[in-house]
Amino acid sequence: IGVGSRIDDFEAGAPNGTYGWEAYWDEGMAGTTLSCGVDSSMANAGSSSLRIDFHIEPDSWGTCALSYDRPPGLASSSGLAFDYHAGAAELIFNIDAHGGNPDARTTYHYSVETVPESVDGWVHMELSWDQIVGVDWEANPGQPVDPAEIIGFAFGFNTYPDTPNSGTIWIDNFGLLNAGE
C-alpha cells in the first residue's frame, strides 16, 4: 500500500471543491477555543503545514474541518495517510470522516494520542478505512466508514474525563492510501 493522491499538502490554497479548513468549537463552553490555518514556519514537506491551536474544556469539543461541495469519489482508495507534529506528548485528537449529506452528516473517527517522537519530529500515520469507525453517539457505532460516501474530513478534539486538552499540532501531507501501489 502506498500513499496515493494528496487531499491537501497545505501549499496552494483550498483543495478543489472545498472552502478550505474551517475551525468550529463548542461556543457554549466558556474557555473552549480552536483555531486552524496554514503555517509557513513548520513543514514536513514543502514549505507549509496545517497548524491547529486548541484549548478544549472537559466535556467539550472543537474541530478543524474540510467539507466538500459533493462527494469527491474516494471509493478506489483504501484509507488515509498524514504526518503530524505535536507541541507536547499525550495530546488527544481524532481524524474524522463525515459521510451522508451536509444536512444529515454521519461521523466516523479514529483517536490518536500524540507520542513523544512527535514533539521532536514528524510521525507518519496510515489508517485503513475499516479503522475509521462510527462514533458512539450516532446510529452506526463501530461501523467502518464507506469511502464512497465521504463528504468531508476533520481533525477533532475532545478530552479525557474531567481533564482539559490544550496544545498545538501540525498536520502535513494529508492524502489517500491506494491499494496495490
Side-chain angles (χ1 to χ4, degrees):
I1 295 178
V3 176
S5 61
R6 294 271 181 244
I7 294 169
D8 200 346
D9 62 5
F10 310 103
E11 302 293 327
N16 289 340
T18 76
Y19 295 106
W21 294 88
E22 299 176 286
Y24 301 94
W25 63 94
D26 183 358
E27 294 180 30
M29 178 65 73
T32 290
T33 61
L34 185 138
S35 65
C36 60
V38 172
D39 183 354
S40 61
S41 70
M42 178 70 67
N44 189 33
S47 61
S48 299
S49 64
L50 178 67
R51 178 184 175 133
I52 307 169
D53 294 300
F54 57 95
H55 179 82
I56 309 300
E57 289 292 327
D59 302 316
S60 190
W61 60 271
T63 64
C64 182
L66 180 72
S67 298
Y68 290 90
D69 296 338
R70 59 185 171 281
L74 306 179
S76 64
S77 62
S78 58
L80 292 173
F82 61 94
D83 301 317
Y84 79 89
H85 174 68
E90 300 179 6
L91 301 174
I92 56 171
F93 70 95
N94 298 331
I95 175 63
D96 299 334
H98 298 283
N101 66 62
D103 297 326
R105 291 189 320 190
T106 51
T107 303
Y108 302 83
H109 72 153
Y110 179 88
S111 294
V112 177
E113 182 175 298
T114 61
V115 295
E117 297 82 6
S118 69
V119 177
D120 295 326
W122 289 85
V123 172
H124 181 71
M125 292 204 66
E126 293 186 0
L127 301 171
S128 61
W129 293 127
D130 63 353
Q131 292 177 277
I132 303 170
V133 298
V135 294
D136 292 342
W137 59 88
E138 291 184 2
N140 57 350
Q143 295 299 309
V145 67
D146 178 351
E149 295 180 8
I150 291 174
I151 58 168
F153 296 102
F155 291 96
F157 298 84
N158 49 36
T159 67
Y160 289 122
D162 303 320
T163 306
N165 183 21
S166 186
T168 303
I169 66 165
W170 291 263
I171 304 293
D172 207 352
N173 307 314
F174 186 57
L176 299 172
L177 291 177
N178 291 330
E181 287 190 5

